[in-house]
Amino acid sequence: MPPSDSHLVSLVFPPEPVWVRAAREAVRTLLAAADRRDLADTALLLTSEAVTNSVNACLRSGCSTPVTLFAEWTAPHVLRVLVQDEAPGLPVPRAPASEDEHGRGLARIAAFTAQAGERRGRYSVQLDHRGAVIRKKLAQRAAYRRRRRTSNLRYRAPRFNNRTRPDGWLAPSLQHRVTTTVSWVTRLSRWAPVRAVHVERVAFDTHAISAGRPLEGAEYQHGTLHGTEAREYLLAKFGRACAYCGITEVPLNIDHVHPRSRGGSDRISNLVTACIPCNETKSNRSVQEFVRDKTKLAKILAQAKAPLRDAAAVQSTRWALWRALDQMLPTHIVSGGRTKWNRTRCGLPKSHTLDALDVGKLDTVTETITPILVAGCSGRGQHQRTSPDRHGFPRRTSPRVKAVHGYATGDLVTASVPKGKYTGTHTGRVMIRTTGRFDIRTAHGLAAGIRHTNIRLLQRGDGYTYTHQPEPTCT
């Protein structure tokens, strides 16, 4: 039986939508005091729906009498929640048509209580972050400053008295992942009555990923080359073949991807196997100079050093993301194994959006969405007005104004050009010019020098580029 001093809660509030969250938090506190968090999903969802219907009924009828929420434990395993309002009439459940967008509150309660665990996809978004771009920009800025410093160009000395970082600090490229995710949850909450968030809390074993097999006990204390020699390790890693030409059954040398004469190291990630002709031909050139085929070059670099950046980024941001989301909505954490089990049991293929649909407790998935929206983070420009060249010296200066004739770079526009080289209709992202002649980047190329009078705005740039892609076929 729940404790006697925390077996009920009562809340009186005006009929305003902002009080729905307060009612939900009151019921959450009651469940936590009784140590019955297993009922949280159902109780909070039903409370949100009931309070929302009461508030909407009062607003429609013009009733200003406060709404009352009363919740109590009537039995060891029975929680009774009563929501009372003074709006005239009684709520009448209705069966909405498939094309209706509203009026599903009461129907949702009935469907949830009758068929708990059924989940239907309504909206799918794949968010592509730009953490790698942010990291590259910061590294370039540090290189520019270091170069001006070492070349004695009277650049300021490095400061070391302001390096204290607060608790929970994340690198800008990692904080970007958390911020954009929270931003999209906020956006979706404005479009639909979001009641809870389910987050998959994954924990990558980077040491096991590097080893390529499960590790146990003292194996976690062993390095990459424990129990083997560097040569045997490389021969096994590259399949006893030349990393450059792929030939087998010939004598193989050990080659440095980045030559030692040009600053390369003897790290195992900088070593590959190479046949004698390739090794002699490459000499002291870097692999980028020796291998011209971009596909082969990417494959060699991927084999030589398999990065763990994505796994490390997830490890670093998982708790920060959970804390940020939990401040907005009830956030439930589940494991990746539960997601995989749900996906396999429902017969769904592997994809990011279908994994998101399978997160948490569910019995079955009855509906999926295709195509899905892919939102790629493109940014809103930059604060830096002076663009440097590859040596770090000023190359050009951007104007102070961000908008010209009502348009800003990144806006989605359509242009109807009556005559000239670009006669026709062009739709794409615009790049403004102070002269009034803009460039439009379309799917077919660049249309340059289009007069602003021939352009019509379709959508303001919001820092994202949008595309659609089909969802994998369900099995």
Side-chain angles (χ1 to χ4, degrees), residues 161-199:
N161 58 350
N162 61 345
R163 301 302 184 188
T164 302
R165 293 168 177 169
D167 294 337
W169 178 88
L170 291 175
S173 59
L174 300 180
Q175 183 63 43
H176 159 78
R177 297 171 181 248
V178 177
T179 304
T180 51
T181 304
V182 172
S183 175
W184 269 92
V185 171
T186 304
R187 181 181 297 191
L188 293 176
S189 299
R190 294 198 303 265
W191 297 344
V194 178
R195 304 305 182 196
V197 179
H198 296 268
V199 179

Side-chain angles (χ1 to χ4, degrees), residues 398-409:
S398 301
R400 290 181 178 273
V401 294
K402 289 283 188 177
V404 176
H405 297 291
Y407 299 98
T409 298

Side-chain angles (χ1 to χ4, degrees), residues 128 134 372:
D128 294 340
I134 295 175
I372 63 175

Side-chain angles (χ1 to χ4, degrees), residues 18-212:
V18 295
W19 283 91
V20 176
R21 180 174 182 179
R24 185 173 61 240
E25 292 301 324
V27 175
R28 185 202 299 273
T29 302
L30 185 63
L31 292 171
D35 197 20
R36 290 306 305 271
R37 294 179 177 85
D38 56 311
L39 301 177
D41 288 348
T42 303
L44 295 180
L45 177 58
L46 299 182
T47 301
S48 297
E49 293 291 352
V51 174
T52 300
N53 280 292
S54 294
V55 171
N56 289 340
C58 292
L59 294 178
R60 284 194 300 266
S61 62
C63 178
S64 59
T65 305
V67 178
T68 302
L69 169 72
F70 182 80
E72 65 172 344
W73 291 97
T74 59
H77 304 289
V78 178
L79 176 65
R80 179 172 176 262
V81 180
L82 174 66
V83 180
Q84 182 178 3
D85 62 78
E86 299 297 331
L90 295 175
V92 180
R94 70 179 181 90
S98 58
E99 65 272 10
D100 289 350
E101 297 181 358
H102 304 285
R104 297 182 178 270
L106 293 176
R108 181 174 298 166
I109 293 177
F112 189 91
T113 54
Q115 296 179 352
E118 179 181 333
R119 187 172 296 182
R120 291 170 291 179
R122 289 290 179 246
Y123 196 70
S124 295
V125 182
Q126 177 177 317
L127 180 60
D128 294 340
H129 63 83
R130 58 192 297 263
V133 177
I134 295 175
R135 180 179 179 275
K136 179 181 178 182
K137 294 288 186 182
L138 292 176
Q140 287 179 341
R141 185 182 70 178
Y144 293 152
R145 291 177 175 176
R146 189 180 305 110
R147 191 261 173 189
R148 291 195 293 266
R149 223 176 263 130
T150 56
S151 297
N152 194 21
L153 298 180
R154 298 183 181 180
Y155 189 69
R156 65 164 178 81
R159 295 192 296 262
F160 297 99
N161 58 350
N162 61 345
R163 301 302 184 188
T164 302
R165 293 168 177 169
D167 294 337
W169 178 88
L170 291 175
S173 59
L174 300 180
Q175 183 63 43
H176 159 78
R177 297 171 181 248
V178 177
T179 304
T180 51
T181 304
V182 172
S183 175
W184 269 92
V185 171
T186 304
R187 181 181 297 191
L188 293 176
S189 299
R190 294 198 303 265
W191 297 344
V194 178
R195 304 305 182 196
V197 179
H198 296 268
V199 179
E200 179 184 308
R201 185 184 64 83
V202 295
F204 288 108
D205 191 339
T206 54
H207 195 29
I209 293 176
S210 299

Side-chain angles (χ1 to χ4, degrees), residues 55 87 180 187 193 252 267 275 310 336-337 348 363 408 410 418 425 431 471:
V55 171
T180 51
R187 181 181 297 191
L252 297 174
R267 290 180 56 194
C275 64
D310 290 338
L348 298 177
D363 292 335
T425 302
M431 180 181 297
E471 189 69 270

